[in-house]
Structures are given as structure tokens and as C-alpha cells.
Amino acid sequence: MTTTPIADYAMLSDRHSAALVARDGTIEWLCMPRFDSPSVFAAMLDDDAGSWSIRPAAPYRVSRHYMDATLVLQTVFETGTGAVVLTDAMATGADPDPHRLGAAAPHTLLRSVMCVRGSAEVEIRYRPRPEYGLVTPLLSRMDGGVRARGGSGRIVLSSPVELEIARDEAVGTVALEAGEVLRFALCWAALDQPDPGRRSPEEIAADLEATLTSWRAWSRVHQAYEGPYLDLVRHSGRVLQGLSYQPTGAIVAAPTTSLPEEAGGMRNWDYRYAWVRDASFTMDALWVAACPDEAEEFFSFMTTAAATYEPGRALQIMFGVGGEHDLTERELPHLRGWRDSRPVRTGNDAWRQAQIDVYGALLGAAGRLADQLTWIDPDERGFLAALADAAACQWSRPDHGIWEIRGDPRHYVYSKVMCWVALDRAIELADRLDAAERVPRWQQARDEIRRAVLRDGWSAEAGAFTQAFHSADLDASVLMMPIVGFLPADDPRMLATIDAIAKRLTGENGLVYRYRADDGLEGGEGTFVLCTFWLAQALALAGRVGQAREVFESAVSLTNDVGLLAEEIDPVTGEQLGNFPQAFSHIGLVNAAWAIDGALSEGQILC
């Protein structure tokens, strides 16, 4: 059974795919060539599903960090006789244009280990298991490495150490003295492509240098945020960029599947897809943490992926990173799951749900990025205008809500508010969308939504806005009401809602639950990182900056040693839970820090 804590992982990304590296130098997750491709290594979900470790043979102490302004990871192992540094990266390829980070990515994982003090014996253990561990490939020696045959791709490991092949793995041990370095590369190619071949140590060194240069060029050109929590915000911007799929502009919710919301539970979902909501919020956060010059690709992707969209029919809420519509869920019973959390799933049946908040998410991002909408073509203008028409047409329907509750549709307050956002932003953008004639109709629908939410979304019993119309159940999603401008944060009803959520939805760890109402699924879940940042953001907007900072700092204190956050936090142990790293969590961090900065700059400090 795999027992690696979720917080022990660090992410590598080439903006095509991602790898997760544990603190002990083991790659426990790698999909090629896309985020949602079958895995090459999946020890994260089952010990026998593939891994690749490089670490000292003797007992060691570990520290690690991302190299400055990059997603290149360095792990420092200190032993009784010396110290070695392991450097890991997904090669981005060399491209002189910093706006095209990852455009030339060669689907290659780079690893180098250098002895920096004394001497150390290093062990290498390589166990590829393509297709989520279903395939045990045939390993064979080649000049300067190991070739793996089996499954849907060609995998070549370039190794300066002659590894011994023992059935289903390649292993080796090498003694290093101070100054000596070993360079490895794992290259992947589809069966219909040429064999990727061996990479020389010099080529691997050049690939790593090009990757460092590309990330630093991107960070230098894009990252201008100068407010509080600067390092956290800029790092989150890089994480969000690392979750984007360069070829299409899609953005995944997380690079993993089936990391659970409760250890041993069954709330295990595949997040390696582009949710309209999550991706739109990511573009919104990149407006703060980094110049979102990928906005053109993003809106083009959404327009193309939703090409069959009709205003009378609900927009599909998520797509594959290549624009695929059918994301049918299936279970992988041969995998035991992280800490026996079953089932392990690929695909996600939420793609079938109606979630009418997505119109507001997309048009909200368009509103934030309005200055960049000069490039959109007639199809994209028509698509955005149709979203507003859909919000006007569908806002009164029940849906499954932001949390994708797998029960009967309801009239969720958040969904209604986001339909209001869709219409409000469309009205602002009407001239740019060539839709001025639709404004009176949009204004009428927007006003109807506002009246309905204020009338039916408020509960006298709860003393707050609640999860659904005529319900007394609290839901943290209504914290978005002041964030999107539906009500001022200092409106008495909003202040009462903020206080109710802070008091009744906050766990012992100071973080916020999404809700506590029965959602029809077995098991429980942890406190939700995004919701905690929403609370901090709402408090900042209300001028309660001291409280906002307390909530914010409670959340960021639970980032792992390399600044990454999962979806949830166990309220008792403080352990990270859920798919990792989670875009939502880093989006929340960026926006809450920005709101705190804004409140401080404007002197809106009440407490």
C-alpha cells in the first residue's frame, strides 16, 4: 500500500504533462504525453504501478526547493559522509519567445545527481509500468541506457550508469565523490513516432539549462505583482502556468487522479481535465500573478471545444485538454489507491451535469481581461454573447452547483449569482461583443436574478445567505457574492453571512468547510482550501484586514515545503488531502493576497 503523504510531493511540468516527485527522490506519478494520458509511473496509487527513484544508499536528511523563478526542483540529501543534490525537471525545450513556454517540449523527464560534499553512494531503481500499471514492459539494455517496450509508447532511459536488469526493473549503485555528476533522461514517443533515442550527458545538461532559462524568462516577462506575500503569489502563478496545456490553452484542475478527500474513502475523482469554471478562474488569477497572455489561446480553446453549443442547452462544464467532450468515468480495480482509497477512477462523469454558474465564470474572466479582447474574432464574440443569452434563459433552472453534488438538481444560490455575473459582464462588454441590441434583455434578466437571490437566497433562520433557495444550510460559495460585486462586502446581510460562515463552517484548524449538509455521498471530507481563501478575500473587501490576514496565514501555513497546496486539509491532523497540486487552492491564494493588498493600499482597515 502506498503511504507517501500527499504533501511530500513536488510537481514538475512542461505545460504538456506533469510528474510528482516524493521527498525521497522517487517519481511516483508521470503521464505522457498529456496530463490525462495513461501513466508511466503511478506508485502514488499502487506500489506496483511504477516508479523511478534516485537517492543515497545510506540514511539521509532531506531538504528541497524550486530553483529561483522556475518549476525545476532541487532535493538535497545529506548523509554521514557527504551531500548530493538531485535536480529534476520536465524539459520545456528551447524557445526564444518567453510567451511560448513549453511549445517545444520534447516529452522528456530530466534528472541529474551531483555530489557537492564528501562522498556518497547513490542507488537508482527504475520500474516503468505503462497504462496505470497494467503493462509490465520488456526492458533491454541499449548503448547508454535502457529501452522499455510495451504499451502505447516508446520509452528510453538515458543513463550514465550501467543498470542491471532484473526481470521488471533496472537497478544500479554508484559511488560519487565531490564534484561528480550523473545525468539521466527519460524520453517518451508514441509508437507511430521515431524512437526517441539516447540523450548524451551534454545534451541533458543543455536541456536542463534551456528549461531553467525558459521558466526564468517567462517569470521575468510575466510576473510584476509587488504586493504582500509576494513569493507565494508569484510561485502560485508559476504553478497555475504549469497546469496549463500549451498546445491548446486548456487548463487542468489538477495533474492527478483519485487522491482522496478522505483517507480510505471513495470520494476519489479524476481532475486532469479542463473545467470551464476552474480554467476561467485560473485566467482571472493569472491577471494578478502573471500577465495572462495565454488568454487568446484560452478563449479560442473554449470557443472551439464548445462549438456545438446552443443557448437553450446547458454548456458542457468540462472538456479534455484537446477539446474532447466524452469524459466517461471508469474504475481501475487493479489499483489499490492512495492509502487504500478506492475506487481509482479515470474520466469524470461530472461532464454530464448541468452547472449554470459556468457562464459567469467565463464572462467574468472576459470582463477581467477586457483590455485583451481586441483580438477575439467574430466566432468568439458570438460565443461570449451566447453565454449571456444562456444565462438569461437558464438562470431559473435548478442545477448541480459548483460542488457537482451527485443528487437531484437544486436552486443553488451561487449558480444564480454567477448567472447575474454573466449578464452584468456581458452588459459591460456589449460594444466589444457587437451585442448592444441585446443589452435591454440582459438588463431585465440581471435584475430578475438579483431580486430572486435577495428574496429566496436569504434565510432568516440561518441569518445568512445559504446554499440554496429556501434552505437554512450554509455554503461557503456564497462568499463569492461580494467578490464578484453582487453585494458590497460591508452590506449588513453580507457581513452577517461572513460571520456565520466564519463561526459555523470553520473547523478546528481555522480553515473553512464547503458545507456541512448531506450531499448523498458516502464518507466525509476535509476543510476546503479555496473556501478559506474566499473567507480571507471577503474579510479584506469588508475592510477587516487583520482578520483577513489571520485566515490567510492559517491557510498558507499548511503549504508543503515547496509551496504547494492540495484541495483540502484534514481538520484534525492538518494533512493535505485531494488531488495535488490543486489549481483552485492556488487561485484562492492569489486572489486573497491581492484583496489584502488592495485593502491595505486604500486604507480600508477596520480590524
Side-chain angles (χ1 to χ4, degrees):
M1 177 180 71
T2 181
T3 58
T4 304
I6 291 170
D8 270 16
Y9 294 116
M11 180 184 76
L12 314 174
S13 171
D14 60 1
R15 298 193 64 216
H16 291 250
S17 182
L20 294 191
V21 190
R23 280 176 59 83
D24 68 357
T26 304
I27 306 285
E28 293 195 10
W29 181 252
L30 173 67
C31 297
M32 289 283 198
R34 303 187 346 173
F35 289 105
D36 56 354
S37 296
S39 63
V40 175
F41 304 126
M44 179 184 77
L45 299 175
D46 192 294
D47 286 339
D48 197 39
S51 62
W52 178 17
S53 63
I54 300 176
R55 59 174 174 260
Y60 52 80
R61 297 187 307 276
V62 177
S63 62
R64 58 185 185 164
H65 61 275
Y66 284 110
M67 297 181 72
D68 183 50
T70 76
L71 288 185
V72 176
L73 180 72
Q74 286 198 317
T75 305
V76 181
F77 297 98
E78 295 189 62
T79 73
T81 62
V84 296
V85 176
L86 175 65
T87 303
D88 289 323
M90 297 279 286
T92 60
D95 195 307
D97 183 355
H99 302 296
R100 290 174 49 80
L101 177 66
H107 306 306
T108 298
L109 174 62
L110 307 172
R111 313 195 78 183
S112 68
V113 58
M114 180 177 185
C115 184
V116 295
R117 177 174 56 81
S119 62
E121 194 171 61
V122 173
E123 295 179 336
I124 303 101
R125 188 180 187 209
Y126 172 66
R127 304 176 67 241
R129 291 289 187 279
E131 299 193 37
Y132 306 109
L134 278 175
V135 176
T136 301
L138 175 65
L139 301 182
S140 59
R141 286 193 182 89
M142 56 178 285
D143 181 29
V146 176
R147 178 177 283 107
R149 289 187 173 92
S152 59
R154 306 175 191 272
I155 305 170
V156 170
L157 173 65
S158 300
S159 171
V161 179
E162 186 170 321
L163 302 177
E164 180 182 346
I165 296 174
R167 290 177 43 191
D168 59 355
E169 65 181 9
V171 298
T173 303
V174 61
L176 293 179
E177 299 291 333
E180 291 184 322
V181 60
L182 301 174
R183 296 186 174 91
F184 302 82
L186 184 150
C187 301
W188 184 97
L191 291 181
D192 59 357
Q193 295 174 340
D195 190 290
R198 170 184 173 270
R199 301 291 287 170
S200 71
E202 294 75 21
E203 289 172 320
I204 295 170
D207 289 342
L208 178 59
E209 189 60 34
T211 298
L212 287 165
T213 299
S214 293
W215 273 110
R216 287 170 175 161
W218 182 87
S219 297
R220 183 178 63 253
V221 169
H222 291 75
Q223 299 202 291
Y225 176 83
E226 294 290 347
Y229 312 109
L230 184 146
D231 290 342
L232 285 166
V233 170
R234 290 190 177 183
H235 179 55
S236 289
R238 287 189 290 274
V239 171
L240 293 172
Q241 186 72 358
L243 294 175
S244 63
Y245 183 62
Q246 206 281 338
T248 65
I251 302 166
V252 298
T256 58
T257 181
S258 301
L259 292 178
E261 298 174 19
E262 179 184 44
M266 52 80 69
R267 297 176 183 234
N268 317 317
W269 317 112
D270 191 347
Y271 276 18
R272 299 171 299 158
Y273 304 109
W275 270 257
V276 173
R277 175 193 309 110
D278 302 46
S280 298
F281 286 175
T282 298
M283 293 306 304
D284 202 46
L286 285 174
W287 182 86
V288 176
C291 172
D293 60 14
E294 292 78 9
E296 180 175 359
E297 290 87 350
F298 170 70
F299 283 107
S300 176
F301 167 76
M302 282 297 171
T303 303
T304 303
T308 60
Y309 174 69
E310 301 168 8
R313 183 168 58 85
L315 176 70
Q316 185 162 317
I317 66 161
M318 58 193 291
F319 303 95
V321 295
E324 298 83 1
H325 284 234
D326 187 348
L327 306 179
T328 299
E329 192 173 289
R330 66 188 180 98
E331 298 182 1
L332 303 179
H334 66 285
L335 295 178
R336 294 179 62 182
W338 183 84
R339 293 191 187 170
D340 281 336
S341 302
R342 294 189 180 107
V344 172
R345 296 178 169 96
T346 63
N348 195 310
D349 277 345
W351 73 274
R352 306 175 191 274
Q353 291 186 355
Q355 298 172 19
I356 58 176
D357 67 285
V358 295
Y359 308 124
L362 263 171
L363 279 161
R368 173 65 66 86
L369 301 167
D371 289 343
Q372 295 177 269
L373 292 184
T374 54
W375 40 254
I376 63 173
D377 63 29
D379 287 341
E380 289 158 359
R381 288 195 291 271
F383 172 64
L384 291 172
L387 295 178
D389 288 340
C393 174
Q394 298 174 28
W395 75 266
S396 59
R397 300 178 187 175
D399 74 335
H400 290 276
I402 182 175
W403 307 130
E404 300 179 348
I405 294 174
R406 297 194 176 192
D408 293 333
R410 298 176 67 192
H411 291 281
Y412 290 103
V413 171
Y414 174 82
S415 296
K416 313 301 183 187
V417 169
M418 293 306 288
C419 283
W420 178 92
V421 170
L423 293 159
D424 184 73
R425 305 309 192 264
I427 291 166
E428 292 179 2
L429 295 169
D431 289 340
R432 300 187 190 210
L433 301 181
D434 296 333
E437 75 285 354
R438 307 189 201 189
V439 168
R441 178 159 45 89
W442 289 346
Q443 288 174 328
Q444 181 180 356
R446 181 187 62 176
D447 294 344
E448 289 175 2
I449 297 170
R450 181 178 178 82
R451 288 192 294 270
V453 170
L454 296 179
R455 180 184 66 241
D456 300 327
W458 173 266
S459 167
E461 178 186 348
F465 289 104
T466 56
Q467 184 177 70
F469 282 1
H470 311 296
S471 167
D473 294 326
L474 293 177
D475 191 305
S477 64
V478 299
L479 291 168
M480 284 291 285
M481 295 171 74
I483 293 170
V484 300
F486 184 88
L487 276 179
D490 58 0
D491 181 285
R493 293 162 295 184
M494 206 62 247
L495 289 172
T497 301
I498 291 170
D499 288 339
I501 288 170
K503 182 178 180 179
R504 306 205 297 270
L505 278 188
T506 298
E508 295 177 7
N509 58 2
L511 274 63
V512 178
Y513 288 95
R514 296 186 294 179
Y515 51 80
R516 297 208 177 192
D518 180 19
D519 59 10
L521 288 174
E522 294 180 16
E525 62 180 26
T527 49
F528 212 78
V529 176
L530 172 65
C531 297
T532 305
F533 285 127
W534 278 345
L535 177 59
Q537 189 173 1
L539 286 165
L541 292 173
R544 293 157 65 171
V545 182
Q547 289 177 267
R549 296 189 79 149
E550 287 180 12
V551 172
F552 182 93
E553 288 166 12
S554 291
V556 299
S557 71
L558 295 167
T559 58
N560 74 354
D561 59 326
V562 288
L564 300 181
L565 285 162
E567 182 177 39
E568 301 180 13
I569 304 292
D570 186 293
V572 177
T573 66
E575 188 171 27
Q576 297 207 34
L577 295 170
N579 284 307
F580 180 89
Q582 175 74 220
F584 254 175
S585 298
H586 289 275
I587 291 164
L589 186 157
V590 167
N591 288 331
W594 183 64
I596 290 169
D597 180 39
L600 291 171
S601 299
E602 296 173 15
Q604 300 176 355
I605 304 174
L606 301 180
C607 61

